[in-house]
Amino acid sequence: MKSTELAKRFARVLLPLVIIGAGVVGMIILIEGVKKPQPRSIERVIPLVEVLEVQPAKSQLLVPSRGIAQPRVQSLLTSRVRGEVLEVSPVLSTGAFFKKGQLLMTIDDKDYKSALASREAELARAELALQLEVKEGEVSRKEWERLMKTEADPLVLRIPQLAEAKARVAAAEAALAQARMDLDRTRIIAPYDGQVDQRLVDLGRFVNVGTSLARIHGIDAAEVRLPLLDSELAFLDLPDNLVETGGIFEGPVVHFTAQFLGRPQQWRGRIRRMEGEIDPKTQMVYLVARIEDPYNQRRERGRTTLPMGLFVQAEIQGSLEEGVIVIPRKALQREGEVFVLSGMGEEQKLQRQAVHILRKQGEEVIIGGGLEAGDRICLTPIDSFVDGMQVKTNQTLGAKR
């Protein structure tokens, strides 16, 4: 019994020691079996970049703006006589086109025909009275000369009476001319080729002098007011003295674009004048461009109608700059900086180079200084740039400009 208890106690003490020993031996074996890592050299990655060799060239500067197409001539037709509207032409409908001299509306002219007949009668009476006065004056002169040897008195010769008769004829002629004008004004005639914006009266309406009849506009030309900063005027070829030109001149060409009829459209115009004042709120200068024949009445191929009220984008042709360098916009790594390559072969390195930006035009940047002919610039974006970093280039990439 005692021997059995002794064996159990021995087993309780010895078994944990055996397990711990076995674990220590196993760990030693594992540690000895692990291979030590061998040191490796880290390969340096040299970035491959796209290169552009630049050359000076001529470049046409473009000044962007925008505006709304408006008719060159807009009119509000008003009545200059009283009467009932008897006739309205079909072309006097909103959106309809008309020709110069076309009858648009007729106002009742009965009263004006009657007034014209009265004025004609008055003129006839005045002319008769003038003829009688002339004859009486001649008779009075002959009688005086026959009977008297002294100079005749003006009253005897009826000179004042003759002057009065002539004045009555002149007044009658003026009244007759006015009557004729009033009669003509009962027929509303189109003053130019145009389009109707809105008809304001209809058949049967009684109108007075000054009643608005219709709003119309001409279709010979359209104008667009283009706001520009004063600094941008330096890039445009404008007259130095606007007073000498009378404010009207043949300025730079303007190319207009807009979305119309479901696709992009283009029109061509010219700057014709500059408004006299700078906008006090925006400090903008307004140039006015004219587009001839906006409705394409000449039916030129490739052109479409320019509707009034359309919002258009404009590019004004500026001065032609020589000796500038044109680079892609992506070549600007930072505002006013490019990366220039130096060295050849395996020793090509990048350096920062500040440049003078003359203008940005679409995807191009015009450089006015900071680069020389033959300089090679990097077109590839580099996030972690360090001055003097080594790069390699593919000589097939890039192109001379």
Side-chain angles (χ1 to χ4, degrees):
M1 191 69 181
K2 291 182 179 181
S3 61
T4 302
E5 292 178 357
L6 184 61
K8 290 180 179 180
R9 291 178 181 176
F10 181 75
R12 284 198 296 269
V13 174
L14 185 60
L15 184 58
L17 295 176
V18 172
I19 293 172
I20 292 171
V24 171
V25 172
M27 184 174 62
I28 293 173
I29 294 173
L30 289 174
I31 292 173
E32 292 294 330
V34 174
K35 294 182 178 180
K36 294 182 179 180
Q38 299 296 323
R40 284 192 310 178
S41 60
I42 299 175
E43 182 180 356
R44 187 176 60 163
V45 178
I46 300 177
L48 176 68
V49 296
E50 183 181 0
V51 176
L52 173 69
E53 183 178 329
V54 298
Q55 295 293 341
K58 293 181 181 180
S59 180
Q60 181 80 59
L61 299 185
L62 299 176
V63 179
S65 188
R66 62 190 65 185
I68 297 175
Q70 299 290 345
R72 184 181 68 88
V73 177
Q74 291 177 290
S75 304
L76 177 63
L77 296 181
T78 58
S79 176
R80 302 184 69 177
V81 294
R82 304 172 69 251
E84 181 184 354
V85 177
L86 297 182
E87 183 183 356
V88 176
S89 171
V91 299
L92 196 61
S93 302
T94 301
F97 291 89
F98 53 83
K99 293 291 185 180
K100 180 178 180 180
Q102 191 169 0
L103 179 64
L104 301 179
M105 185 180 293
T106 301
I107 299 172
D108 187 5
D109 61 357
K110 295 185 183 67
D111 292 342
Y112 298 98
K113 285 181 177 179
S114 176
L116 177 61
S118 297
R119 298 297 177 266
E120 288 174 342
E122 287 177 4
L123 176 60
R125 288 193 294 270
E127 288 176 339
L128 178 59
L130 175 61
Q131 292 175 7
L132 292 175
E133 201 60 57
V134 170
K135 292 297 183 181
E136 288 184 9
E138 291 176 353
V139 171
S140 296
R141 178 181 295 277
K142 289 179 181 179
E143 285 294 319
W144 182 270
E145 291 175 351
R146 187 175 63 86
L147 299 174
M148 311 295 281
K149 300 300 183 183
T150 61
E151 186 177 351
D153 185 270
L155 288 175
V156 173
L157 299 180
R158 304 188 65 82
I159 292 176
Q161 293 87 334
L162 181 62
E164 181 185 11
K166 289 181 178 180
R168 287 179 179 175
V169 169
E173 288 175 342
L176 178 60
Q178 182 65 51
R180 285 173 177 163
M181 282 193 297
D182 290 340
L183 182 60
D184 289 341
R185 288 167 179 170
T186 62
R187 295 165 51 85
I188 310 302
I189 305 298
Y192 45 72
D193 292 352
Q195 185 180 25
V196 180
D197 294 327
Q198 185 182 11
R199 188 174 73 199
L200 302 175
V201 298
D202 217 329
L203 196 66
R205 168 81 179 271
F206 187 90
V207 296
N208 287 302
V209 176
T211 300
S212 298
L213 305 177
R215 292 190 180 93
I216 61 174
H217 68 261
I219 58 175
D220 65 320
E223 292 188 339
V224 184
R225 296 177 72 235
L226 300 173
L228 293 175
L229 291 172
D230 177 67
S231 58
E232 293 182 311
L233 297 181
F235 302 112
L236 300 179
D237 185 15
L238 299 175
D240 294 330
N241 192 327
L242 295 177
V243 176
E244 292 180 356
T245 67
I248 306 296
F249 53 88
E250 285 286 334
V253 172
V254 187
H255 294 284
F256 295 95
T257 57
Q259 196 76 14
F260 180 57
L261 298 177
R263 61 183 184 274
Q265 305 288 353
Q266 296 182 352
W267 301 270
R268 185 178 183 272
R270 274 189 179 275
I271 299 296
R272 296 302 304 273
R273 66 180 190 274
M274 181 168 66
E275 295 187 357
E277 296 183 355
I278 296 177
D279 191 311
K281 295 181 180 178
T282 62
Q283 290 300 296
M284 290 283 191
V285 178
Y286 282 89
L287 299 181
V288 180
R290 180 180 298 180
I291 303 169
E292 301 294 341
D293 191 20
Y295 291 89
N296 196 21
Q297 298 177 86
R298 295 191 289 264
R299 299 187 180 277
E300 295 180 10
R301 180 174 294 182
R303 285 192 59 192
T304 188
T305 295
L306 172 61
M308 300 301 100
L310 184 66
F311 185 83
V312 293
Q313 301 287 342
E315 278 192 342
I316 308 172
Q317 284 190 3
S319 56
L320 184 64
E321 296 290 331
E322 297 189 14
V324 296
I325 291 175
V326 183
I327 64 174
R329 188 181 283 261
K330 65 179 181 179
L332 284 181
Q333 305 291 343
R334 293 182 182 178
E335 185 63 26
E337 281 188 355
V338 297
F339 297 159
V340 178
L341 274 78
S342 61
M344 301 297 293
E346 300 295 329
E347 296 300 324
Q348 297 182 96
K349 296 181 180 180
L350 287 182
Q351 303 289 341
R352 296 182 193 274
Q353 177 64 49
V355 293
H356 170 59
I357 299 174
L358 197 59
R359 284 199 70 78
K360 294 180 180 179
Q361 299 181 174
E363 294 302 316
E364 294 183 335
V365 180
I366 301 176
I367 302 300
L371 291 175
E372 302 292 339
D375 282 349
R376 296 179 302 152
I377 61 174
C378 174
L379 301 182
T380 304
I382 298 177
D383 295 330
S384 54
F385 172 81
V386 178
D387 257 337
M389 68 182 295
Q390 187 175 356
V391 295
K392 55 185 177 180
T393 63
N394 184 340
Q395 295 302 321
T396 61
L397 298 176
K400 293 184 180 181
R401 296 184 72 87

